[in-house]
Amino acid sequence: MGLTSQSLEIAVITLAVACVALTVWLWPRLSPRGVLPVLGRIGSILVTQVAVLCSLALAVNSSFEFYSSWDELLGHTEDGPVAVSGGGPRYADTRSLRGGLVQPAGPQGLDRVTGLPEGPPHEVGQVESVRLVGRRTRVVNPAFVYLPPQYFQHQYRRQRFPVSVVISGYPGGIMNLAQHLRIPQTAGRLIEEGRMQPTVLVMVRPTIAPPRDTECVDVPGGPQAETFFTEDLPEAVKAAYRVGHDPSAWGAFGYSSGGTCSMLLALRNPGTYTSAVSLSGDYAVKDDLTTGSLFGSGAAAARREREHDLLWRLAHRPVPQVSVLVASSRLGEPNYRDTLRFVEAAKPPMTVDSIILPRGSHQFSTWRREVAPALEWQGRQLTFPQDVEAAHAPPKRPGAGATPSPSPSLPSSPSPSPSPSP
């Protein structure tokens, strides 16, 4: 059984309950004095506690996805690419992938998610469960990839699709994106209704060295998270899928620390990502107990930390030509004041839009309200289509925040815009 499989979780919880019941039942027989009864009591307590702890650990891991496989838990993936056997056709594409940078994986919890596409891919699309291999960072990271129905349709066979890299919060994982935020389900509905252009979604977690929170930062002498997101991930996805090669076709999207990551990726690497969505993200990266030291030590550490402060960057660094959407709530969100400061500090050629709710807290119920308009917004920032044979010729990039002209074969209908900056 896979580490994140529901059957394993149920089996271990059942075992824990059985151990508790058996201990209560046998305890009177273990009450006499003597070596054997004492050893029996100690053994029953130990076995019961181990079973209960294992069930709790599996439940926590399934929810936050610190580890997605036994190999990852045991540290067998740190030395680079490994062959991973594929699961059923619903969860993985078993085609030969160029370079081996995207490898089929088992469900990784996808079998527990409801509302995913079921039927012919050219009619409903497809969600694949894969592992992304970092050629430079030597990281193997779990991912879900949503391919829209148009990706499989004959009339689109020569076209490259835009990409949105959707990043979960920490300590959450890709399961949260599919199960709680329902990213692929919402995108499929929006595309079907003509409110979002066909887009490939690559769903990943923000950390590349779990359980450490790497915050999309290249740690001196440590995990190179920024390199993974800006070089390894795009290289792997471009090698395996028919997606756009120009930065105008790439955007980042995230909630909580994933939102912080998305903004950092766009503002620090506009040659890779030209739009970013941040739902309840922070505007600076700081060391804490989950991150450890992200910036090293000495004077260089202070400089690196400053470079990851978005408000500082807007005041002291050239502003890139990117589009950013930020979301917060007037009541209940700790980042509200910093969100207003960020919106006010933005200047051309960068554009900033916002979603400001009257009330909301730092949880999925708030983010679910924002997902649909945020996906629509990002869909309008990304260029489409890009012809496969013409991929090496840079397409005309619309101004940041501009709405690209839809392809004649695409349905178009007006969609509500996020609220303007307050």
Side-chain angles (χ1 to χ4, degrees), residues 215 260 263-264 281-286 295 305 308-311 338:
E215 289 278 356
T260 306
M263 288 191 291
L264 281 169
D282 293 324
Y283 297 89
V285 175
K286 303 289 185 182
F295 306 108
E305 183 172 351
H308 289 78
D309 184 322
L310 296 176
L311 291 169
D338 282 342

Side-chain angles (χ1 to χ4, degrees), residues 156-179:
Y156 291 89
R157 70 191 184 281
R158 299 181 63 80
Q159 292 175 340
R160 297 185 181 275
F161 288 76
V163 181
S164 177
V165 177
V166 187
I167 309 169
S168 71
Y170 179 88
I174 53 177
M175 270 290 291
N176 286 344
L177 296 171
Q179 187 173 41

Side-chain angles (χ1 to χ4, degrees), residues 29-353:
R29 300 185 183 184
L30 300 174
S31 59
R33 297 178 181 273
V35 176
L36 291 179
V38 170
L39 290 177
R41 292 197 293 270
I42 293 174
S44 63
I45 291 173
L46 288 177
V47 170
T48 300
Q49 287 186 334
V50 168
V52 171
L53 287 175
C54 286
S55 63
L56 290 174
L58 280 173
V60 170
N61 187 67
S62 295
S63 177
F64 296 112
E65 202 174 318
F66 292 108
Y67 303 99
S68 61
S69 69
W70 292 108
D71 280 338
E72 195 170 277
L73 176 65
L74 299 174
H76 292 166
T77 61
E78 294 182 358
D79 293 332
V82 294
V84 182
S85 58
R90 179 182 173 191
Y91 311 117
D93 185 0
T94 56
R95 64 185 175 223
S96 174
L97 300 177
R98 286 177 285 164
L101 299 180
V102 177
Q103 301 175 350
Q108 300 186 124
L110 201 59
D111 52 344
R112 300 161 55 188
V113 179
T114 60
L116 295 177
E118 293 186 1
H122 68 278
E123 295 180 3
V124 297
Q126 181 171 289
V127 180
E128 299 181 352
S129 178
V130 300
R131 296 183 187 280
L132 304 178
V133 180
R135 186 168 60 83
R136 298 164 188 80
T137 58
R138 301 185 68 79
V139 165
V140 180
N141 233 21
F144 296 150
V145 178
Y146 168 76
L147 302 172
Q150 291 79 3
Y151 188 90
F152 304 95
Q153 294 171 5
H154 183 74
Q155 63 267 37
Y156 291 89
R157 70 191 184 281
R158 299 181 63 80
Q159 292 175 340
R160 297 185 181 275
F161 288 76
V163 181
S164 177
V165 177
V166 187
I167 309 169
S168 71
Y170 179 88
I174 53 177
M175 270 290 291
N176 286 344
L177 296 171
Q179 187 173 41
H180 297 302
L181 279 196
R182 302 183 69 78
I183 292 290
Q185 299 93 318
T186 303
R189 174 175 56 82
L190 294 174
I191 292 171
E192 182 181 8
E193 295 172 356
R195 296 163 57 190
M196 177 182 175
Q197 65 176 332
T199 304
V200 172
L201 306 179
V202 181
M203 291 162 273
V204 291
R205 62 192 180 190
T207 178
I208 65 168
R212 183 180 183 180
D213 182 9
T214 51
E215 289 278 356
C216 293
V217 172
D218 278 351
V219 181
Q224 302 294 289
E226 186 173 16
T227 298
F228 176 82
F229 279 99
T230 58
E231 299 185 47
D232 284 347
L233 184 152
E235 178 187 48
V237 173
K238 290 173 185 177
Y241 297 100
R242 209 168 65 252
V243 298
H245 285 206
D246 191 80
S248 63
W250 283 72
F253 185 117
Y255 70 89
S256 189
S257 58
T260 306
C261 188
S262 297
M263 288 191 291
L264 281 169
L265 292 175
L267 267 69
R268 287 175 55 86
N269 302 274
T272 303
Y273 298 95
T274 54
S275 77
V277 171
S278 174
L279 310 182
S280 304
D282 293 324
Y283 297 89
V285 175
K286 303 289 185 182
D287 288 345
D288 59 32
L289 292 176
T290 64
T291 64
S293 177
L294 291 174
F295 306 108
S297 58
R303 176 180 58 79
R304 293 190 192 101
E305 183 172 351
R306 206 166 46 239
E307 292 286 344
H308 289 78
D309 184 322
L310 296 176
L311 291 169
W312 183 90
R313 291 188 68 87
L314 290 180
H316 298 90
R317 288 287 181 263
V319 177
Q321 186 176 350
V322 296
S323 304
V324 177
L325 173 67
V326 292
S328 187
S329 304
R330 290 187 179 88
L331 295 176
E333 282 278 23
N335 76 335
Y336 175 62
R337 292 187 181 279
D338 282 342
T339 298
L340 297 184
R341 291 175 59 201
F342 180 82
V343 171
E344 292 170 358
K347 55 194 174 209
M350 174 182 172
T351 62
V352 178
D353 291 315

